[in-house]
Amino acid sequence: LFGYVGIEAVLDQMRIKTMKTGFEFNLMVVGQSGLGKSTMVNTLFKSKVSQKPTGPDYEERIPKTVQLQSVTHVIEEKGVKMKLTVTDTPGFGDQINNENWLRPLDLEFMRRLSKIVNVVPVIAKADTLTLEERAEFKKRIQKDLKAHGISVYPQEDFDDNSDDRILNNKIRDKIPFAVVGADKEHQVNGKRVLGRKTKWGIIEVENPAHCEFPLLRDLLIRSHLQDLKDITHNVHYESYRVQRLNESNL
Ligand code: GDP
Ligand code: MG
């Protein structure tokens, strides 16, 4: 009996527990007002869920966000449930224009934020930029983040092994994702797709040739979901806990 580890039984129990309780995942969207945060929250849900959100204050038309507001959905994929909670926030630093995105306020905000949570920066409203502008903007942001020692997700320090590093390097090359949000559907080749109508045609948010929303969604709620949670728990929460303990011992 002592030699028997029963790993199969343990795995079965874990599978059953996950099926029953599902995963939980919390996301918060921050940035200046008018950037497209609320639209992005809706895009994320609409791209995954068919039924309507059931928050008490939920409205089809997006109102200006005046307070923290969380919406929770249960998403199901291949029989596994996930409880996804997204918190929408009012804008901060509304006096700011897009011209010089990484002003001291943004940098300071991201620097502090990146120490307590996983930060995934995005370029919003990418449909308003040409492909060249997107690439240039992206390079500039990558350079600024590096220059100011801001470590965004996936952090190089936490790559587990060389395979991890190769995969995460590919993601790091793409960060910040240039995303487009939309909560309206359009008819494209006989199919209904989420998108924005522009002079040049429909920008489809879920088409990887049109924008990087699919990359963002897959990273957040598919490929890196567990890793995001692990780093939050093992690194961010742990350092927060230690800090609070030290404070209370002063
Ligand atoms: P929030 O203040 O950051 O929550 O921004 P909202 O989601 O309320 O959006 C502000 C405005 O920008 C609305 O008119 C949206 O329709 C528009 N908008 C949102 N996302 C996009 C986008 O990806 N591209 C473009 N062109 N407009 C967007
Ligand atoms: Mg809003």
Side-chain angles (χ1 to χ4, degrees):
L1 192 74
F2 287 121
Y4 175 67
V5 183
I7 193 75
E8 279 305 321
V10 174
L11 286 175
D12 273 347
Q13 288 166 45
M14 285 168 70
R15 250 176 250 130
I16 290 166
K17 178 158 188 278
T18 308
M19 299 288 255
K20 265 200 216 149
T21 59
F23 296 96
E24 283 190 25
F25 189 57
N26 299 312
L27 271 173
M28 188 165 89
V29 194
V30 292
Q32 77 187 75
S33 93
L35 208 56
K37 295 182 298 299
S38 300
T39 308
M40 186 50 61
V41 171
N42 281 7
T43 311
L44 195 62
F45 282 128
K46 289 216 170 166
S47 82
K48 283 303 302 170
V49 202
S50 45
Q51 77 268 34
K52 290 225 169 76
T54 51
D57 302 324
Y58 187 80
E59 269 187 64
E60 191 58 53
R61 179 184 58 81
I62 297 177
K64 189 172 158 81
T65 319
V66 290
Q67 59 182 34
L68 287 186
Q69 190 176 339
S70 296
V71 182
T72 299
H73 262 308
V74 175
I75 290 172
E76 199 166 333
E77 205 164 85
K78 298 198 177 97
V80 179
K81 289 200 182 86
M82 179 172 71
K83 195 171 145 202
L84 176 63
T85 300
V86 181
T87 301
D88 195 6
T89 60
F92 68 88
D94 284 355
Q95 70 279 10
I96 298 140
N97 66 34
N98 237 355
E99 207 55 40
N100 31 21
W101 180 78
L102 281 163
R103 299 134 302 116
L105 177 63
D106 278 338
L107 284 170
E108 180 58 17
F109 182 68
M110 295 212 1
R111 198 182 59 76
R112 289 201 209 172
L113 208 57
S114 64
K115 294 202 172 126
I116 50 174
V117 289
N118 291 315
V119 175
V120 180
V122 300
I123 295 173
K125 299 190 184 179
D127 55 314
T128 62
L129 302 171
T130 65
L131 291 183
E132 292 75 26
E133 285 168 337
R134 285 188 203 181
E136 202 181 301
F137 201 12
K138 197 176 274 219
K139 259 208 209 106
R140 208 173 83 208
I141 294 166
Q142 286 173 348
K143 217 175 101 211
D144 280 347
L145 290 175
K146 208 171 217 149
H148 290 84
I150 298 168
S151 178
V152 297
Y153 185 82
Q155 303 89 339
E156 285 187 46
D157 291 351
F158 308 140
D159 289 342
D160 280 335
N161 50 47
S162 55
D163 284 350
D164 228 30
R165 172 137 305 182
I166 292 168
L167 173 72
N168 286 344
N169 277 340
K170 283 191 192 141
I171 295 167
R172 285 188 277 265
D173 276 351
K174 293 238 151 79
I175 276 182
F177 297 124
V179 298
V180 176
D183 52 1
K184 289 199 183 61
E185 291 188 331
H186 299 271
Q187 199 84 17
V188 175
N189 300 327
K191 272 202 271 174
R192 297 199 68 71
V193 296
L194 277 174
R196 300 193 80 87
K197 209 172 185 161
T198 72
K199 277 192 276 192
W200 303 278
I202 310 272
I203 310 263
E204 301 164 36
V205 302
E206 294 185 84
N207 184 337
H210 291 195
C211 78
E212 293 173 331
F213 172 77
L215 289 180
L216 175 70
R217 183 200 49 206
D218 287 353
L219 176 92
L220 293 179
I221 62 178
R222 293 206 180 118
S223 62
H224 285 62
L225 176 85
Q226 195 53 46
D227 188 55
L228 281 155
K229 290 179 62 168
D230 289 345
I231 293 180
T232 301
H233 185 79
N234 299 335
V235 180
H236 295 303
Y237 179 70
E238 198 48 32
S239 68
Y240 169 77
R241 198 177 66 87
V242 168
Q243 192 196 328
R244 291 308 291 261
L245 278 175
N246 285 341
E247 281 167 10
S248 65
N249 285 341
L250 282 182

